Amino acid sequence: MSGLLSMIGLGLTAAVLAVMLRSMRTEYAVLLSLGAGVILLFWMIDSLAPILEQLVTLIESTRLAPEYGGVLIKALGISYITQLASDACKDAGEGAIGAKLELCGRVSIILLSLPMFAELLSIAGTLFSI
């Protein structure tokens, strides 16, 4: 709980400073925003360990192939990193670049999961004798 409050404090402080800096030096406001985002991301990584352990436990209990868990965890990582980069671009006033980054992240997740989709379609075809 105290870690969450510290993260919120850092985020709010960085936001206020970025707003104040934006009127004087836009480039410094963007760097401050990006730096705060990266610090918060690394700070949060420690909190992700129990979540990842729970995901692994859930995947093992379903008796699915371990590759599916890897795809899920990689897809989550791609989505979080892409969102961070996209938000940084949007904060810098480059909404179009941010939108393209989001599209790149979506395409990367689709490419990552294509082998899994192919296997699932094969299983469905076998079940329905298609």
Side-chain angles (χ1 to χ4, degrees):
M1 178 74 167
S2 66
L4 175 64
L5 293 177
S6 298
M7 285 188 254
I8 290 171
L10 174 68
L12 290 175
T13 303
V16 169
L17 289 174
V19 168
M20 290 175 18
L21 276 174
R22 192 161 282 124
S23 63
M24 298 179 287
R25 301 290 294 216
T26 306
E27 63 275 8
Y28 290 146
V30 170
L31 288 174
L32 175 68
S33 177
L34 183 60
V38 169
I39 289 170
L40 288 170
L41 181 67
F42 281 119
W43 203 344
M44 184 186 61
I45 286 176
D46 289 337
S47 303
L48 291 177
I51 296 170
L52 292 176
E53 290 173 8
Q54 185 66 33
L55 280 173
V56 168
T57 303
L58 286 171
I59 291 167
E60 289 173 352
S61 70
T62 59
R63 290 186 242 139
L64 290 173
E67 299 86 43
Y68 295 149
V71 169
L72 175 64
I73 292 170
K74 287 177 187 176
L76 286 171
I78 290 170
S79 65
Y80 282 123
I81 291 170
T82 302
Q83 189 66 48
L84 175 68
S86 172
D87 289 344
C89 288
K90 289 176 183 176
D91 287 346
E94 296 296 331
I97 295 173
K100 302 307 180 286
L101 281 173
E102 289 175 2
L103 178 63
C104 290
R106 290 181 188 120
V107 169
S108 295
I109 290 172
I110 290 170
L111 287 172
L112 176 71
S113 58
L114 273 178
M116 185 176 66
F117 287 142
E119 186 174 336
L120 289 174
L121 287 175
S122 173
I123 292 169
T126 305
L127 289 174
F128 295 118
S129 300
I130 296 176

